[in-house]
Amino acid sequence: NSYNLDLKIFIPLSLFFCYLLWASNKYIKFEWLENIRNSPQTFHKKSTSRLGGIAVYLSLLITAVFFDQSQNYDFLRTALLCSFPVFLTGLLDDLKLDIKPSLRIILMVPTPILFFYLLDISVESLSVDFLDFLLQQEFISLVFLIFAIIGIINAFNIIDGFNGLLLSYALTILVSLILGYENENGMNWLTYMIAIFFAVLAVFIVNFPFGKIFLGDAGAYLIGALIPVGLIKYTFDNDFSPWFVLAILIYPVTEVMASIARKVLIRGRSALEPDGLHFHMLVYKKITKRIGFKKIKQRHFLVTLIILIFNFPFMILANYFKTETLILVLICFWYVLAYLAVYFILFPKHIFKEK
């Protein structure tokens, strides 16, 4: 019955908000609604609403608060409350309020703290004895959670570069987890993930492949908070290997680590400075050069499809071996090797000669 509620409420609500936000961008002329930016990560040619995160947040919030009669969404309500600081931080940027990257990180800190105390979310183990001992200390456990959650939130934002890319990745995670769900207890967790799936799906329908609305920083930050916190809870409530979390999230984690290494070690720049050399951007440039689709949306479609195909087998393997630490470590290792192999093939060699 709760799944029927998801279908009847989340998708229509999210689509309704998407339409309002699309119409606002198209017919209402306010400077803060205009979305054409001078950035190496900007590929669209005309203004497109980047407020899709509002559609996700409001559809989840309204349904969880006003339509839940069975308390299935207690976890979701609290998670939305905890996620509000990161959602608001992204929304301010979407509305063209310039916030320095360092300040953004500071503004995100309340979210993992709230997760820790209100939802009892913590990383209880890393399957390394010394580190596990340290994680038993509340302060160290909290600091680690802050670092991990803020890191993955920013990693999700990094891969939000083309129509459908982050949205399809998020939906793929949710589908793999829902299909691999085995424990018939803890339905609160399952309804949480299904609710997020349907709310995100509606934005995906409007975003991919035609790009009528973008997820924006608010949406990327929100999804980057909600999915990992649910994944952490699911993992430790069911006594899976802690490496299961990393194996599922290995794409954005690898992307952000490669981004830091590239900017700091190769280019001698700040890790917080944007550039146009992320994995999906290099795939896009190669497609443009070799295949040469005239329409940008066709290139976006192909990039999203290629990266989805690249990532999906690793997710399936991670779900199949979610209790096997050694195999999950190998899955992460194989993914990083595959990522780096493709990345260095695509990476423009002249960058190494830059001073």
Side-chain angles (χ1 to χ4, degrees), residues 228-263:
V229 77
L231 182 57
I232 291 171
K233 180 173 177 59
Y234 175 53
T235 297
F236 288 106
D237 281 0
N238 291 281
D239 200 28
F240 299 147
S241 168
W243 284 81
F244 175 59
V245 178
L246 180 59
I248 290 293
L249 300 176
I250 191 63
Y251 168 42
V253 170
T254 304
E255 183 67 65
V256 76
M257 296 304 294
S259 176
I260 293 171
R262 176 181 69 249
K263 294 173 185 177

Side-chain angles (χ1 to χ4, degrees), residues 204-343:
F204 177 78
I205 291 170
V206 182
N207 171 266
F208 185 78
F210 302 111
K212 298 299 184 183
I213 194 170
F214 296 155
L215 192 56
D217 284 3
Y221 289 169
L222 177 65
I223 295 173
L226 293 179
I227 290 180
V229 77
L231 182 57
I232 291 171
K233 180 173 177 59
Y234 175 53
T235 297
F236 288 106
D237 281 0
N238 291 281
D239 200 28
F240 299 147
S241 168
W243 284 81
F244 175 59
V245 178
L246 180 59
I248 290 293
L249 300 176
I250 191 63
Y251 168 42
V253 170
T254 304
E255 183 67 65
V256 76
M257 296 304 294
S259 176
I260 293 171
R262 176 181 69 249
K263 294 173 185 177
V264 176
L265 300 179
I266 297 177
R267 311 194 73 188
R269 301 181 180 183
S270 168
L272 301 177
E273 180 182 340
D275 68 7
L277 295 171
H278 296 299
F279 186 74
H280 56 275
M281 295 176 179
L282 297 185
V283 174
Y284 176 87
K285 291 172 183 176
K286 181 62 70 172
I287 287 173
T288 302
K289 182 178 180 180
R290 292 297 178 87
I291 301 178
F293 286 133
K294 292 183 178 180
K295 293 184 178 180
I296 292 178
K297 293 182 176 64
Q298 293 176 335
R299 301 173 199 165
H300 284 206
F301 176 88
L302 194 53
V303 171
T304 297
L305 182 62
I306 289 171
I307 294 180
L308 181 64
I309 293 172
F310 182 81
N311 288 322
F312 191 66
F314 293 94
M315 285 191 196
I316 295 299
L317 285 171
N319 272 280
Y320 189 79
F321 294 106
K322 50 181 170 272
T323 61
E324 305 295 332
T325 295
L326 178 58
I327 297 178
L328 290 169
V329 171
L330 290 173
I331 289 170
C332 294
F333 178 73
W334 292 332
Y335 182 89
V336 172
L337 284 183
Y339 174 99
L340 291 176
V342 176
Y343 189 88

